[in-house]
Amino acid sequence: MEVRVKKGFSEKQKSKIDVKRNSTRLLITVNVPGSAGPLRFVVNEDDKVAGVIDMALKQYAHQGRLPLLGSDPTHFLLLPTSLGLEALGASELIGLCGVRNFILCKKQPAELRESRWKAEGMIDQKSKSSSCWKTWLNKSFAFKIHFH
């Protein structure tokens, strides 16, 4: 069955329309710790995890749920419930993990700092500064006690 597309669309726009029609849609469940119940919504299997987190946060806010979470998707992790405690990467495709039940949780402050440093290209500087700090700490606790 061939679908006709209106005139005036470029080839690129036509291919996007065909991809959207052919992509599989998934009903996923996202649990938020401390919230009354899970969020359920439909996503495309080729949606990225970052986009799914953004959709979950928007739906959570639209429903007026508590506790308040915020709206920045970079502050959250999406954990599949059946695959252990390994968070999905923001650029991974949601359909490739093979799971439909997730937990949305906030990143810890250290994780936020590290993800910001990675985004800004400062991860090398962080490791250098932490090694200097560790060296200083080790030297300061290395007391030499002389008994005469």
Side-chain angles (χ1 to χ4, degrees):
M1 181 172 114
E2 186 176 322
V3 178
R4 293 186 182 184
V5 180
K6 290 183 182 178
K7 292 181 181 180
F9 285 108
S10 68
E11 289 299 318
K12 188 175 182 180
Q13 290 171 328
K14 288 178 186 177
S15 67
K16 282 185 181 179
I17 291 170
D18 289 339
V19 166
K20 284 189 177 185
R21 286 188 182 140
N22 294 332
S23 66
T24 303
R25 298 177 58 91
L26 307 169
L27 176 65
I28 64 168
T29 302
V30 178
N31 291 299
V32 179
S35 182
L39 299 168
R40 289 185 181 89
F41 54 96
V42 177
V43 296
N44 291 324
E45 69 178 355
D46 56 349
D47 285 346
K48 292 188 178 182
V49 170
V52 173
I53 292 172
D54 189 44
M55 282 191 279
L57 290 173
K58 287 179 181 175
Q59 184 176 1
Y60 188 88
H62 179 73
Q63 292 177 1
R65 293 185 177 218
L66 294 174
L68 297 177
L69 296 179
S71 60
D72 190 358
T74 60
H75 292 163
F76 293 89
L77 295 171
L78 195 63
L79 305 167
T81 56
S82 63
L83 297 179
L85 295 176
E86 187 70 28
L88 299 174
S91 61
E92 289 184 54
L93 299 179
I94 197 73
L96 293 180
C97 67
V99 178
R100 295 185 183 188
N101 296 318
F102 302 93
I103 299 172
L104 181 70
C105 56
K106 273 194 170 184
K107 289 181 181 179
Q108 299 299 319
E111 292 171 330
L112 286 173
R113 215 175 12 256
E114 188 174 318
S115 65
R116 245 185 259 129
W117 282 332
K118 282 181 183 176
E120 296 172 4
M122 294 174 50
I123 195 70
D124 294 333
Q125 184 179 5
K126 179 238 174 196
S127 61
K128 287 178 188 175
S129 66
S130 68
S131 65
C132 293
W133 180 81
K134 288 177 185 175
T135 304
W136 174 84
L137 186 64
N138 287 335
K139 285 181 182 179
S140 65
F141 286 123
F143 299 121
K144 293 185 180 179
I145 302 174
H146 297 285
F147 293 101
H148 294 306

